[in-house]
Amino acid sequence: PSIGSLLVYSSAQGRAAAGLALEQSAGKPEFRQAGNVSAKNRAGALSTKLRAEMAPSGDVAATAVELKTQGNDALAAGQYAQACALYSRAIEIDDASHVLYSNRAMAHIKAESYGLAIADAERAIRLDPTYIKAYYRRGSANFALGKYRLALRDFKAVCKLRPNDRDARTKLRECEKAAKQLAFASAIESADDQKVSATLDVANILVDAAYDGPRLGDDGIVTDAFIDAMMERFRDQ
């Protein structure tokens, strides 16, 4: 078997052992809270302990960190496909790392794979809703796809979490401007598609008093007789 598969297998064994240990520890005093502690708090304590025990340890964790470092180097060197591959290998070892998903999202953005970038950024956000870089990267990917309203949501979140981030505020202004331009263009396109006949109010059109040709009836309906009379008048002129 390859080193990677052994690492993943080792990690899986560690996770299974952690789950068993957590199940056994559930009966210990620290988990038998007094009646004034809610079930939600007890579940939160169990979840926190489980995440800690499921995290890769020892050589496995060191390998994930090394792969992430190599991925960062590849990203800095412009080797985006290689960076994605290295981050993916690290994620196989530690799939609970929001940083790894966020870093791979950045590599996807550089490779212009914006859909994949959004998926990775969203996974990072689910793992850690306070991780600013994930919002920034999802916003950047949505902006690149022309989804300005979605990008606005993320850059507003970044500015809320980090009010002094100049780059985020710049991106926010760019998004607001692009969203307004898109809305304006859509309005013009909609107006251009409207038929001229739909904008005319025949009843309010003023006809010169000296005009002695065919006229529409009071209902404004264009009849065959009216058309024939108009054609006859044009031929006579």
Side-chain angles (χ1 to χ4, degrees), residues 173-208:
R173 287 193 294 270
E174 290 177 0
C175 267
E176 290 173 339
K177 182 178 179 181
K180 289 179 181 178
Q181 290 175 340
L182 181 62
F184 181 71
S186 298
I188 292 177
E189 183 179 355
S190 176
D192 289 343
D193 289 343
Q194 189 175 15
K195 294 181 180 180
V196 175
S197 59
T199 66
L200 295 176
D201 184 357
V202 178
N204 290 324
I205 295 177
L206 297 177
V207 180
D208 192 307

Side-chain angles (χ1 to χ4, degrees), residues 31-35 37-47:
F31 288 98
R32 293 198 300 267
Q33 302 291 338
V37 178
S38 68
K40 182 178 180 180
N41 289 339
R42 292 198 300 273
L46 286 170
S47 178

Side-chain angles (χ1 to χ4, degrees), residues 76-103:
Q79 300 172 347
Y80 307 132
Q82 179 68 7
C84 286
L86 289 164
Y87 291 137
S88 295
R89 288 173 58 192
I91 288 171
E92 288 178 1
I93 297 171
D94 183 8
D95 63 355
S97 171
H98 59 281
V99 175
L100 287 174
Y101 282 103
S102 180
N103 285 11

Side-chain angles (χ1 to χ4, degrees), residues 60-130:
V60 176
T63 301
V65 171
E66 176 60 26
L67 287 169
K68 185 189 79 166
T69 300
Q70 293 176 15
N72 292 346
D73 292 340
L75 183 62
Q79 300 172 347
Y80 307 132
Q82 179 68 7
C84 286
L86 289 164
Y87 291 137
S88 295
R89 288 173 58 192
I91 288 171
E92 288 178 1
I93 297 171
D94 183 8
D95 63 355
S97 171
H98 59 281
V99 175
L100 287 174
Y101 282 103
S102 180
N103 285 11
R104 192 170 67 176
M106 185 62 186
H108 284 315
I109 289 172
K110 291 294 186 180
E112 299 183 359
S113 299
Y114 301 117
L116 294 175
I118 291 171
D120 273 349
E122 288 180 344
R123 180 63 183 272
I125 291 170
R126 287 197 297 270
L127 289 169
D128 185 354
T130 65

Side-chain angles (χ1 to χ4, degrees), residues 135-136 138-143 146-160 168-180:
Y135 290 97
Y136 191 94
R138 185 174 67 176
S140 297
N142 276 317
F143 184 87
K147 298 179 179 180
Y148 303 123
R149 292 188 182 279
L150 293 177
L152 270 173
R153 172 197 62 185
D154 287 326
F155 289 126
K156 284 180 179 178
V158 173
C159 290
K160 183 177 181 179
R169 291 199 169 278
T170 299
K171 284 287 188 182
L172 179 61
R173 287 193 294 270
E174 290 177 0
C175 267
E176 290 173 339
K177 182 178 179 181
K180 289 179 181 178

